[in-house]
Amino acid sequence: MESRSLLAMCFLMPFLCQLQCLMVWDEHSPESSVFFPWRQRGRGTGKGHRVKRAWEIPPISVPENFRRIPMLLVQLKSDKQHIGTVIYSIKGPGVDEEPRGIFTINKNTGEVYLNAVLDREKTERFKLRAFALDKGGSSLEDPTKLEIVVLDQNDNRPVFVQEEFTGHLLEGAIPGTLVLKVEATDADDPRTDNAELRYSIIQQETPEMFSINQNTGEIRTVQVGLDREVVGSYNLTVQVADMLGEGLTSTARVIITIEDINDNPPEFMQEFSMEVPENKSNLDIARVNVTDKDLPGSINWRVRYYITKGDSKRAFSIRTDPQTNEGILSLIKPLDHEEQEFYQLTISAENEAKLSPSAPRPSRSQTRVNITVKNLNEPPVFSENPKVVRVKERMAAGSDITVYTAVDPDSKQTQKIRYSVVSDPANWLSLDENSGQLRARYTLDRKSPFLQRGWYTALIAATDNAVPPLSSTGTLSVEMQEVNDHAPVLLPHSGELCKNSQQGNGMLLLSATDEDMPPEAHPFHFQLDPSFTDLTSNWSLSPVNDTHALLQLMADVQEGVYVLPFLVSDSGNPPLAQVQFLNVSVCLCDALGTCKGNAVALFGSGTGISLSALIIIMSSIALLLVLVLLLLLFRCSRSGPAHKGLLADSEEDVRDNIFNYDEQGGGEEDQDGYDMIRLRNPGLSVPPSPRLKPPIRRDTPYNQTLPRYPRRPTDCPSDIADFIQDGLQAADSDPSVPPYDTALIYDYEGEGSVAGTLSSILSSEDDSDQEYDYLQEWGPRFRRLADMYGHQ
């Protein structure tokens, strides 16, 4: 029977791992062969035939770092070669996948080659697939797996995870205390001895205080005696080796810091003495220090200071300087040399942290501070500051106010004190410089602006005669007490009461005011004058509050005006009162409560205003009405339908407008250009008669008098200035002159004047250098000219 075996020939190098050669027996083959089958397929399950087993290629082991390449790994053969040419190929990582080009195959012979150096740490194994194809590209056999395993070599040193390890340990730790753990890694196969690591300490200071676990890398203490004050840190060199400590090695540095505990108490090394001035406070007077061997800056080193004895007055305090750990002793209250000259303080010190039980017992945790108070000259001291004095207002000049004195605290020195006034706003006080006696210079009114809410404040100085002299200032506060010197005043002075109270108000509210201040003012006491006994039967008076009372009509009286005498008193000591009269009109009221028929009431009461007074009042009213009527008639006659004059309309008033004329005139001789009478009398339609007085302009005040014309020039040329000034004043007061902005004609201008004639003002062709501001002083009629020409 024809053999259909598919053979795979395997050519291996002597150093390859064990590869089993399988013996396959073919019942149709006349002999047995040693070969690597690709795969044997079963021939069927028919009777008389044996089913053949299928075989696969076991993994092929290749060592890493093998450099003799290319190296033949295996040759593949198919049992279909007798049919025709077979083409072999492989696919997978290392062939057509990354990393590419590591393995190749001869497509005709089926030989598989290694073409690159392998690194197990990069790729541990390669899984390929092998194919057998005919020339047409069709598969002759099913693809089979080809696995290539990379064998590990000790080609990687162990590496510590960090170059330097740090640990911390409290001083005084017992043996066996874990400090830290070092750790290393090895890239080789952890299943081999190539990655089996061992740790060791190869260097440390003597005495050797630490050991390391060779398997775990834990570092522990091995003996007592760790003292930070002796050795603050330890430096170790540790090593790690693979191959159970016999292979490749690496080293690292280990720094172990000994941390501080409070095992050293603070201690004073000396006593302290100092001198302080008296009467000083808030002053740093000394620094005290201690020694402490613990770590500077830590809570085991920082010190708290306490004053435990000798400061009964609480005049001293102590605090810690955080930078130097010194105690700063301060004086917080002033000391008096005359009272106590020497102080001895006891100061203790302790750390912020609690002292360790292992620390020695402190022997010098306290010290003494000797303080001497230095005597200095002290200023006088006022026994009362401020001193409050109360006096009555309107105190007479020369009256004693008070004695304001000071004492010298320097009791062991004989010094004289003199007094002076520092501040006396009203110059009201007279001071005796030796005794401190204060008197009033004059009577000071309580309403003086120098009093603030009834208080007068002054400053008094007391100065000793030391060298140099010292002084102090005392405040004198004088309360000007109110004196009852004003009687209350009744308000209102008159009022109305409805006789028929059901139709209106039958009561009148009264009040009073007093220029004095409480308690010399209200509450006020209102009463009808008790000398008029008949009043109480018709009128009643009831209080409302401290300042008001209610007047009420009790009987049916006739309409008219009643004069009621009231007695209003205040609450001063003694109280002041005065009789005051109130005019009360009793009348009938309408439904709205309004009093009607006041004129009838005025005439109907014999107890009201007298007849003569009433006649005077009515005559004054009639005279006032007549005057008003005459004024209205005069105004109506002036505003009749007369001819509209030059100045009749305010809109055409030439005083408030400027007119431009083509003709300027020729000076005083040009009197024909304008009708001067019309200008002087804008309300006339015809020229006035020469015998009549010139009419007055309508804007002239009623009490204006006419000036006297003509005026005579002075006989003395030197008085021409006075003559012109009189003319200006007369023109300003003349109500019949033309409007304010019209040129005035003077009777006499004078002779030989250096200023020229007044016509030069209008006839000058070039007035750019003229000054016209002086015209402002010539009256209202010249101010228009000053405004027109003065600011060009």
Side-chain angles (χ1 to χ4, degrees):
M1 203 175 159
E2 182 179 356
S3 176
R4 299 182 180 273
S5 300
L6 179 63
L7 302 177
M9 302 302 297
C10 180
F11 301 91
L12 302 176
M13 301 300 294
F15 52 80
L16 294 180
C17 294
Q18 300 175 357
L19 294 176
Q20 297 179 353
C21 295
L22 302 179
M23 297 186 65
V24 180
W25 174 80
D26 191 341
E27 61 180 348
H28 301 288
S29 175
E31 57 183 357
S32 297
S33 304
V34 178
F35 64 96
F36 294 96
W38 176 291
R39 177 176 298 169
Q40 293 290 342
R41 299 179 182 272
R43 299 258 184 131
T45 58
K47 184 179 180 180
H49 297 278
R50 179 182 296 176
V51 178
K52 294 187 176 181
R53 292 172 297 173
W55 301 91
E56 292 188 358
I57 303 174
I60 302 173
S61 298
V62 181
E64 65 175 337
N65 301 320
F66 185 75
R67 301 185 181 280
R68 289 185 294 176
I69 53 176
M71 180 184 73
L72 178 64
L73 298 180
V74 68
Q75 183 179 9
L76 304 178
K77 283 191 177 182
S78 174
D79 58 355
K80 299 294 182 70
Q81 286 185 344
H82 66 278
I83 300 176
T85 303
V86 179
I87 299 175
Y88 299 96
S89 65
I90 55 176
K91 293 183 178 181
V95 182
D96 58 348
E97 298 178 13
E98 294 295 336
R100 301 176 184 270
I102 295 179
F103 305 101
T104 57
I105 188 172
N106 189 320
K107 65 179 180 177
N108 296 320
T109 63
E111 296 175 341
V112 179
Y113 291 91
L114 174 65
N115 299 313
V117 177
L118 299 178
D119 187 353
R120 191 204 66 84
E121 286 70 36
K122 292 183 178 179
T123 306
E124 186 176 355
R125 63 184 62 231
F126 296 89
K127 293 182 179 181
L128 308 178
R129 290 181 299 168
F131 301 89
L133 308 174
D134 59 14
K135 290 183 178 181
S138 301
S139 296
L140 297 177
E141 299 285 346
D142 292 337
T144 189
K145 295 180 180 179
L146 179 61
E147 184 176 4
I148 301 173
V149 179
V150 182
L151 299 178
D152 182 49
Q153 289 186 338
N154 191 19
D155 58 345
N156 292 282
R157 290 180 177 275
V159 178
F160 282 101
V161 294
Q162 56 195 66
E163 295 182 357
E164 183 176 284
F165 295 87
T166 58
H168 299 272
L169 183 65
L170 291 176
E171 60 178 334
I174 62 176
T177 303
L178 177 64
V179 182
L180 75 158
K181 179 180 179 180
V182 297
E183 185 178 355
T185 60
D186 196 316
D188 291 328
D189 190 354
R191 296 169 295 181
T192 66
D193 290 345
N194 297 334
E196 192 68 28
L197 307 181
R198 295 292 182 268
Y199 300 94
S200 62
I201 299 176
I202 62 175
Q203 183 181 358
Q204 67 173 312
E205 294 94 342
T206 56
E208 295 181 354
M209 305 295 295
F210 303 97
S211 65
I212 189 170
N213 187 311
Q214 64 175 356
N215 296 320
T216 62
E218 294 178 347
I219 299 178
R220 298 177 179 270
T221 59
V222 294
Q223 57 179 318
V224 297
L226 292 173
D227 190 351
R228 190 206 64 83
E229 288 74 34
V230 177
V231 179
S233 63
Y234 292 86
N235 295 321
L236 310 180
T237 302
V238 295
Q239 175 181 281
V240 62
D242 57 14
M243 299 295 292
L244 299 175
E246 302 295 333
L248 302 177
T249 63
S250 294
T251 60
R253 184 183 179 188
V254 177
I255 300 176
I256 300 175
T257 301
I258 306 302
E259 294 190 347
D260 185 50
I261 63 173
N262 191 16
D263 57 348
N264 293 281
E267 294 181 334
F268 289 99
M269 306 306 295
Q270 64 181 21
E271 291 187 358
F272 301 90
S273 299
M274 63 203 65
E275 189 177 60
V276 297
E278 65 174 338
N279 300 322
K280 300 291 184 180
S281 61
N282 300 321
L283 179 68
D284 295 338
I285 58 176
R287 284 177 174 255
V288 297
N289 59 343
V290 296
T291 58
D292 195 316
K293 298 179 181 179
D294 291 320
L295 181 64
S298 67
I299 60 175
N300 303 320
W301 174 80
R302 292 196 294 267
V303 176
R304 293 193 183 104
Y305 295 90
Y306 302 94
I307 300 175
T308 59
K309 188 177 180 182
D311 186 21
S312 58
K313 297 180 180 179
R314 305 294 181 185
F316 302 92
S317 68
I318 191 168
R319 66 185 188 278
T320 303
D321 187 337
Q323 302 299 326
T324 63
N325 213 28
E326 294 176 323
I328 303 175
L329 185 61
S330 301
L331 180 63
I332 59 176
K333 292 182 180 179
L335 302 178
D336 190 354
H337 172 82
E338 286 73 22
E339 182 179 351
Q340 185 173 349
E341 300 181 15
F342 182 78
Y343 293 84
Q344 188 177 70
L345 306 180
T346 300
I347 297 178
S348 63
E350 64 179 28
N351 294 121
E352 293 182 4
K354 186 177 180 181
L355 194 62
S356 174
S358 62
R361 184 183 181 91
S363 60
R364 290 178 292 181
S365 61
Q366 292 185 345
T367 190
R368 285 195 298 267
V369 179
N370 301 314
I371 301 174
T372 302
V373 181
K374 183 179 179 181
N375 189 22
L376 298 176
N377 182 31
E378 301 173 68
V381 178
F382 285 95
S383 56
E384 295 181 74
N385 195 6
K387 184 178 181 63
V388 178
V389 180
R390 291 175 174 83
V391 298
K392 298 293 184 179
E393 68 172 331
R394 303 185 183 279
M395 173 186 287
S399 300
D400 293 340
I401 298 176
T402 187
V403 176
Y404 198 14
T405 59
V407 296
D408 193 340
D410 296 319
S411 58
K412 298 181 180 181
Q413 301 178 17
T414 303
Q415 295 180 347
K416 186 176 181 180
I417 300 177
R418 292 185 178 274
Y419 302 94
S420 60
V421 177
V422 177
S423 174
D424 184 11
N427 195 24
W428 179 52
L429 301 175
S430 174
L431 175 64
D432 188 317
E433 66 174 5
N434 296 316
S435 64
Q437 177 69 53
L438 288 162
R439 295 182 176 88
R441 292 180 182 271
Y442 57 90
T443 300
L444 182 64
D445 191 84
R446 194 176 189 278
K447 298 178 179 59
S448 171
F450 298 103
L451 269 68
Q452 300 295 328
R453 297 183 178 180
W455 288 85
Y456 185 81
T457 303
L459 298 180
I460 308 299
T463 307
D464 60 21
N465 60 346
V467 180
L470 294 180
S471 64
S472 60
T473 303
T475 302
L476 176 65
S477 297
V478 181
E479 182 183 11
M480 191 71 65
Q481 294 182 339
E482 182 74 30
V483 174
N484 192 14
D485 54 354
H486 295 87
V489 177
L490 180 67
L491 293 175
H493 301 294
S494 63
E496 294 179 350
L497 282 178
C498 292
K499 180 178 181 181
N500 48 341
S501 58
Q502 65 276 8
Q503 299 294 333
N505 185 15
M507 295 179 291
L508 182 62
L509 183 65
L510 305 179
S511 65
T513 61
D514 197 327
E515 295 185 18
D516 295 324
M517 299 294 292
E520 306 297 332
H522 58 267
F524 301 121
H525 303 281
F526 299 86
Q527 62 178 336
L528 293 168
D529 192 346
S531 61
F532 297 88
T533 56
D534 58 337
L535 295 178
T536 57
S537 60
N538 297 330
W539 310 89
S540 67
L541 195 62
S542 57
V544 176
N545 52 31
D546 291 347
T547 58
H548 292 76
L550 198 63
L551 177 66
Q552 190 172 7
L553 184 62
M554 300 297 296
D556 186 11
V557 298
Q558 296 182 358
E559 297 179 53
V561 177
Y562 295 85
V563 179
L564 303 181
F566 282 88
L567 186 63
V568 184
S569 61
D570 56 25
S571 299
N573 186 19
L576 292 182
Q578 63 178 349
V579 177
Q580 302 176 62
F581 294 94
L582 174 67
N583 294 330
V584 180
S585 298
V586 179
C587 60
L588 293 175
C589 297
D590 55 16
L592 299 178
T594 304
C595 189
K596 58 182 179 179
N598 291 332
V600 177
L602 288 175
F603 291 103
S605 177
T607 60
I609 301 176
S610 63
L611 180 61
S612 58
L614 183 61
I615 293 175
I616 293 174
I617 293 174
M618 298 303 295
S619 301
S620 301
I621 295 175
L623 181 60
L624 180 62
L625 292 175
V626 170
L627 292 177
V628 172
L629 182 61
L630 292 176
L631 178 61
L632 292 176
L633 291 175
F634 179 75
R635 297 289 295 178
C636 291
S637 63
R638 293 292 301 270
S639 60
H643 179 71
K644 186 176 182 181
L646 182 62
L647 303 177
D649 194 351
S650 62
E651 294 181 356
E652 300 179 8
D653 193 343
V654 296
R655 291 177 298 171
D656 300 326
N657 299 278
I658 299 176
F659 290 88
N660 296 323
Y661 295 95
D662 295 334
E663 180 181 4
Q664 296 184 357
E668 291 82 359
E669 298 178 357
D670 188 4
Q671 302 293 330
D672 300 329
Y674 305 99
D675 188 355
M676 301 303 295
I677 297 178
R678 296 278 298 182
L679 290 176
R680 288 195 181 97
N681 306 281
L684 294 180
S685 59
V686 295
S689 174
R691 295 182 179 181
L692 299 176
K693 294 182 180 180
I696 301 176
R697 292 176 53 197
R698 64 182 60 186
D699 58 349
T700 304
Y702 295 112
N703 60 349
Q704 185 67 55
T705 58
L706 295 177
R708 290 184 291 178
Y709 291 97
R711 294 180 293 112
R712 296 294 182 181
T714 180
D715 296 333
C716 181
S718 62
D719 296 335
I720 190 63
D722 296 336
F723 176 77
I724 295 177
Q725 185 66 30
D726 293 341
L728 289 175
Q729 185 175 1
D732 290 339
S733 304
D734 189 356
S736 63
V737 297
Y740 295 138
D741 55 354
T742 307
L744 297 177
I745 301 174
Y746 287 85
D747 295 339
Y748 177 72
E749 294 185 359
E751 296 180 357
S753 174
V754 297
T757 63
L758 292 176
S759 62
S760 62
I761 297 178
L762 300 176
S763 61
S764 175
E765 297 180 357
D766 186 11
D767 55 358
S768 59
D769 56 350
Q770 295 281 347
E771 291 291 339
Y772 299 97
D773 293 338
Y774 63 89
L775 295 177
Q776 295 282 356
E777 303 175 358
W778 283 21
R781 295 181 176 84
F782 288 92
R783 290 173 186 163
R784 176 69 67 178
L785 293 176
D787 294 339
M788 294 172 57
Y789 293 95
H791 302 285
Q792 293 183 351

Tab-separated table of all heavy atoms in Angstrom, residues 755-787:
chain	number	residue	atom	x	y	z
A	755	ALA	N	-8.127	167.903	30.994
A	755	ALA	CA	-8.790	166.689	30.484
A	755	ALA	C	-9.596	166.961	29.238
A	755	ALA	O	-10.111	166.027	28.631
A	755	ALA	CB	-9.714	166.122	31.560
A	756	GLY	N	-9.742	168.244	28.814
A	756	GLY	CA	-10.544	168.532	27.628
A	756	GLY	C	-12.012	168.523	27.973
A	756	GLY	O	-12.420	168.361	29.102
A	757	THR	N	-12.817	168.707	26.919
A	757	THR	CA	-14.260	168.743	27.104
A	757	THR	C	-14.823	167.338	27.102
A	757	THR	O	-14.203	166.395	26.630
A	757	THR	CB	-14.906	169.564	25.972
A	757	THR	OG1	-14.650	168.899	24.752
A	757	THR	CG2	-14.327	170.975	25.912
A	758	LEU	N	-16.065	167.242	27.616
A	758	LEU	CA	-16.728	165.941	27.641
A	758	LEU	C	-17.099	165.463	26.261
A	758	LEU	O	-17.318	164.288	26.037
A	758	LEU	CB	-17.995	166.007	28.505
A	758	LEU	CG	-17.759	166.209	29.997
A	758	LEU	CD1	-19.093	166.349	30.716
A	758	LEU	CD2	-16.967	165.061	30.558
A	759	SER	N	-17.165	166.397	25.308
A	759	SER	CA	-17.514	165.979	23.943
A	759	SER	C	-16.440	165.112	23.324
A	759	SER	O	-16.686	164.427	22.340
A	759	SER	CB	-17.749	167.215	23.067
A	759	SER	OG	-16.548	167.989	22.990
A	760	SER	N	-15.223	165.127	23.894
A	760	SER	CA	-14.169	164.273	23.349
A	760	SER	C	-14.499	162.805	23.503
A	760	SER	O	-13.963	161.971	22.796
A	760	SER	CB	-12.840	164.588	24.046
A	760	SER	OG	-12.959	164.313	25.429
A	761	ILE	N	-15.394	162.497	24.417
A	761	ILE	CA	-15.754	161.087	24.585
A	761	ILE	C	-16.490	160.576	23.366
A	761	ILE	O	-16.294	159.462	22.916
A	761	ILE	CB	-16.610	160.913	25.849
A	761	ILE	CG1	-15.814	161.312	27.082
A	761	ILE	CG2	-17.120	159.476	25.988
A	761	ILE	CD1	-16.605	161.223	28.366
A	762	LEU	N	-17.345	161.472	22.770
A	762	LEU	CA	-18.144	161.040	21.622
A	762	LEU	C	-17.485	161.330	20.309
A	762	LEU	O	-17.794	160.698	19.305
A	762	LEU	CB	-19.521	161.737	21.657
A	762	LEU	CG	-20.373	161.450	22.898
A	762	LEU	CD1	-21.662	162.285	22.857
A	762	LEU	CD2	-20.716	159.982	22.948
A	763	SER	N	-16.557	162.322	20.270
A	763	SER	CA	-15.989	162.744	18.992
A	763	SER	C	-14.631	162.154	18.704
A	763	SER	O	-14.092	162.365	17.637
A	763	SER	CB	-15.901	164.279	18.962
A	763	SER	OG	-15.050	164.718	20.024
A	764	SER	N	-14.053	161.423	19.644
A	764	SER	CA	-12.718	160.856	19.401
A	764	SER	C	-12.809	159.758	18.366
A	764	SER	O	-13.674	158.879	18.424
A	764	SER	CB	-12.143	160.305	20.706
A	764	SER	OG	-10.912	159.671	20.456
A	765	GLU	N	-11.899	159.832	17.385
A	765	GLU	CA	-11.901	158.829	16.330
A	765	GLU	C	-11.101	157.601	16.720
A	765	GLU	O	-11.425	156.498	16.291
A	765	GLU	CB	-11.324	159.436	15.036
A	765	GLU	CG	-12.151	160.565	14.487
A	765	GLU	CD	-11.574	161.144	13.211
A	765	GLU	OE1	-10.480	160.679	12.812
A	765	GLU	OE2	-12.188	162.015	12.622
A	766	ASP	N	-10.095	157.770	17.482
A	766	ASP	CA	-9.252	156.633	17.883
A	766	ASP	C	-9.240	156.571	19.407
A	766	ASP	O	-8.578	157.357	20.057
A	766	ASP	CB	-7.832	156.797	17.332
A	766	ASP	CG	-6.982	155.563	17.610
A	766	ASP	OD1	-7.579	154.535	18.041
A	766	ASP	OD2	-5.755	155.637	17.416
A	767	ASP	N	-10.012	155.673	19.975
A	767	ASP	CA	-10.074	155.555	21.433
A	767	ASP	C	-9.553	154.214	21.892
A	767	ASP	O	-9.955	153.688	22.901
A	767	ASP	CB	-11.506	155.742	21.917
A	767	ASP	CG	-12.462	154.783	21.239
A	767	ASP	OD1	-11.989	154.020	20.378
A	767	ASP	OD2	-13.656	154.788	21.605
A	768	SER	N	-8.643	153.606	21.124
A	768	SER	CA	-8.127	152.296	21.516
A	768	SER	C	-7.282	152.368	22.768
A	768	SER	O	-7.160	151.391	23.492
A	768	SER	CB	-7.302	151.678	20.359
A	768	SER	OG	-6.219	152.548	20.040
A	769	ASP	N	-6.701	153.567	23.029
A	769	ASP	CA	-5.844	153.672	24.206
A	769	ASP	C	-6.550	154.371	25.361
A	769	ASP	O	-5.907	154.772	26.318
A	769	ASP	CB	-4.555	154.425	23.857
A	769	ASP	CG	-4.843	155.796	23.270
A	769	ASP	OD1	-6.042	156.046	22.970
A	769	ASP	OD2	-3.894	156.582	23.118
A	770	GLN	N	-7.879	154.590	25.239
A	770	GLN	CA	-8.605	155.259	26.304
A	770	GLN	C	-8.960	154.254	27.404
A	770	GLN	O	-9.198	153.088	27.128
A	770	GLN	CB	-9.905	155.870	25.739
A	770	GLN	CG	-9.667	156.983	24.718
A	770	GLN	CD	-9.311	158.308	25.359
A	770	GLN	OE1	-9.470	158.439	26.548
A	770	GLN	NE2	-8.844	159.255	24.570
A	771	GLU	N	-9.035	154.725	28.627
A	771	GLU	CA	-9.469	153.938	29.768
A	771	GLU	C	-10.806	154.495	30.241
A	771	GLU	O	-10.896	155.661	30.620
A	771	GLU	CB	-8.434	153.992	30.908
A	771	GLU	CG	-7.142	153.283	30.614
A	771	GLU	CD	-7.348	151.773	30.541
A	771	GLU	OE1	-8.349	151.280	31.085
A	771	GLU	OE2	-6.473	151.102	29.940
A	772	TYR	N	-11.857	153.674	30.192
A	772	TYR	CA	-13.193	154.133	30.541
A	772	TYR	C	-13.726	153.496	31.820
A	772	TYR	O	-14.892	153.667	32.169
A	772	TYR	CB	-14.168	153.822	29.388
A	772	TYR	CG	-13.786	154.516	28.096
A	772	TYR	CD1	-13.067	153.833	27.122
A	772	TYR	CD2	-14.132	155.836	27.876
A	772	TYR	CE1	-12.710	154.467	25.939
A	772	TYR	CE2	-13.781	156.471	26.687
A	772	TYR	CZ	-13.056	155.787	25.713
A	772	TYR	OH	-12.712	156.387	24.575
A	773	ASP	N	-12.900	152.766	32.513
A	773	ASP	CA	-13.390	152.124	33.718
A	773	ASP	C	-13.757	153.119	34.811
A	773	ASP	O	-14.567	152.819	35.692
A	773	ASP	CB	-12.330	151.146	34.255
A	773	ASP	CG	-12.126	149.978	33.299
A	773	ASP	OD1	-13.043	149.719	32.508
A	773	ASP	OD2	-11.057	149.330	33.375
A	774	TYR	N	-13.168	154.348	34.747
A	774	TYR	CA	-13.483	155.318	35.789
A	774	TYR	C	-14.921	155.798	35.705
A	774	TYR	O	-15.460	156.376	36.645
A	774	TYR	CB	-12.525	156.518	35.708
A	774	TYR	CG	-12.632	157.302	34.396
A	774	TYR	CD1	-13.559	158.360	34.281
A	774	TYR	CD2	-11.835	156.987	33.308
A	774	TYR	CE1	-13.651	159.063	33.100
A	774	TYR	CE2	-11.941	157.674	32.125
A	774	TYR	CZ	-12.853	158.729	32.009
A	774	TYR	OH	-12.949	159.401	30.848
A	775	LEU	N	-15.576	155.554	34.527
A	775	LEU	CA	-16.967	155.983	34.399
A	775	LEU	C	-17.888	155.205	35.337
A	775	LEU	O	-19.016	155.645	35.583
A	775	LEU	CB	-17.434	155.794	32.946
A	775	LEU	CG	-16.713	156.678	31.900
A	775	LEU	CD1	-17.224	156.341	30.520
A	775	LEU	CD2	-16.943	158.157	32.195
A	776	GLN	N	-17.432	154.043	35.824
A	776	GLN	CA	-18.250	153.265	36.735
A	776	GLN	C	-18.540	154.042	38.021
A	776	GLN	O	-19.531	153.794	38.701
A	776	GLN	CB	-17.529	151.944	37.084
A	776	GLN	CG	-17.329	150.996	35.917
A	776	GLN	CD	-18.611	150.239	35.574
A	776	GLN	OE1	-19.614	150.391	36.274
A	776	GLN	NE2	-18.566	149.477	34.505
A	777	GLU	N	-17.685	154.964	38.364
A	777	GLU	CA	-17.839	155.727	39.593
A	777	GLU	C	-18.702	156.979	39.417
A	777	GLU	O	-18.903	157.708	40.382
A	777	GLU	CB	-16.463	156.114	40.137
A	777	GLU	CG	-15.535	154.920	40.389
A	777	GLU	CD	-14.158	155.357	40.808
A	777	GLU	OE1	-13.927	156.589	40.853
A	777	GLU	OE2	-13.317	154.464	41.098
A	778	TRP	N	-19.195	157.243	38.234
A	778	TRP	CA	-19.931	158.487	37.973
A	778	TRP	C	-21.434	158.317	38.138
A	778	TRP	O	-22.187	159.230	37.859
A	778	TRP	CB	-19.638	158.973	36.555
A	778	TRP	CG	-18.277	159.620	36.456
A	778	TRP	CD1	-17.246	159.450	37.299
A	778	TRP	CD2	-17.849	160.517	35.458
A	778	TRP	NE1	-16.169	160.175	36.921
A	778	TRP	CE2	-16.516	160.869	35.755
A	778	TRP	CE3	-18.444	161.106	34.341
A	778	TRP	CZ2	-15.785	161.738	35.002
A	778	TRP	CZ3	-17.709	161.972	33.577
A	778	TRP	CH2	-16.380	162.292	33.902
A	779	GLY	N	-21.885	157.156	38.521
A	779	GLY	CA	-23.315	156.981	38.695
A	779	GLY	C	-23.884	155.985	37.703
A	779	GLY	O	-23.216	155.552	36.750
A	780	PRO	N	-25.155	155.633	37.887
A	780	PRO	CA	-25.756	154.598	37.037
A	780	PRO	C	-25.878	154.999	35.575
A	780	PRO	O	-25.888	154.148	34.707
A	780	PRO	CB	-27.126	154.373	37.677
A	780	PRO	CG	-27.402	155.616	38.456
A	780	PRO	CD	-26.091	156.118	38.931
A	781	ARG	N	-25.972	156.330	35.283
A	781	ARG	CA	-26.151	156.734	33.882
A	781	ARG	C	-24.862	156.646	33.094
A	781	ARG	O	-24.871	156.677	31.876
A	781	ARG	CB	-26.720	158.155	33.839
A	781	ARG	CG	-28.134	158.245	34.428
A	781	ARG	CD	-28.677	159.654	34.358
A	781	ARG	NE	-30.051	159.720	34.836
A	781	ARG	CZ	-30.407	159.822	36.088
A	781	ARG	NH1	-29.463	159.862	37.011
A	781	ARG	NH2	-31.673	159.867	36.450
A	782	PHE	N	-23.719	156.578	33.775
A	782	PHE	CA	-22.450	156.466	33.066
A	782	PHE	C	-21.948	155.029	33.017
A	782	PHE	O	-20.962	154.751	32.364
A	782	PHE	CB	-21.400	157.363	33.741
A	782	PHE	CG	-21.643	158.827	33.509
A	782	PHE	CD1	-22.393	159.556	34.400
A	782	PHE	CD2	-21.137	159.469	32.383
A	782	PHE	CE1	-22.626	160.895	34.194
A	782	PHE	CE2	-21.364	160.814	32.184
A	782	PHE	CZ	-22.121	161.532	33.087
A	783	ARG	N	-22.601	154.116	33.743
A	783	ARG	CA	-22.127	152.730	33.728
A	783	ARG	C	-22.367	152.060	32.382
A	783	ARG	O	-21.633	151.169	31.976
A	783	ARG	CB	-22.820	151.931	34.841
A	783	ARG	CG	-22.357	152.349	36.232
A	783	ARG	CD	-23.164	151.695	37.304
A	783	ARG	NE	-22.795	152.233	38.629
A	783	ARG	CZ	-23.532	152.094	39.715
A	783	ARG	NH1	-24.683	151.421	39.648
A	783	ARG	NH2	-23.130	152.607	40.870
A	784	ARG	N	-23.440	152.526	31.666
A	784	ARG	CA	-23.673	151.985	30.318
A	784	ARG	C	-22.530	152.341	29.399
A	784	ARG	O	-22.067	151.510	28.612
A	784	ARG	CB	-25.002	152.523	29.790
A	784	ARG	CG	-25.321	152.112	28.355
A	784	ARG	CD	-25.608	150.638	28.273
A	784	ARG	NE	-26.838	150.311	28.963
A	784	ARG	CZ	-27.351	149.118	29.021
A	784	ARG	NH1	-26.705	148.108	28.468
A	784	ARG	NH2	-28.482	148.890	29.672
A	785	LEU	N	-22.027	153.573	29.485
A	785	LEU	CA	-20.869	153.969	28.661
A	785	LEU	C	-19.634	153.174	29.050
A	785	LEU	O	-18.848	152.766	28.190
A	785	LEU	CB	-20.607	155.471	28.833
A	785	LEU	CG	-21.682	156.411	28.271
A	785	LEU	CD1	-21.329	157.847	28.605
A	785	LEU	CD2	-21.834	156.228	26.774
A	786	ALA	N	-19.460	152.957	30.346
A	786	ALA	CA	-18.293	152.176	30.781
A	786	ALA	C	-18.366	150.756	30.262
A	786	ALA	O	-17.356	150.176	29.858
A	786	ALA	CB	-18.214	152.197	32.314
A	787	ASP	N	-19.576	150.172	30.244
A	787	ASP	CA	-19.717	148.808	29.723
A	787	ASP	C	-19.492	148.755	28.223
A	787	ASP	O	-18.965	147.781	27.690
A	787	ASP	CB	-21.115	148.263	30.059
A	787	ASP	CG	-21.305	148.091	31.547
A	787	ASP	OD1	-20.269	147.993	32.253
A	787	ASP	OD2	-22.466	148.050	32.011
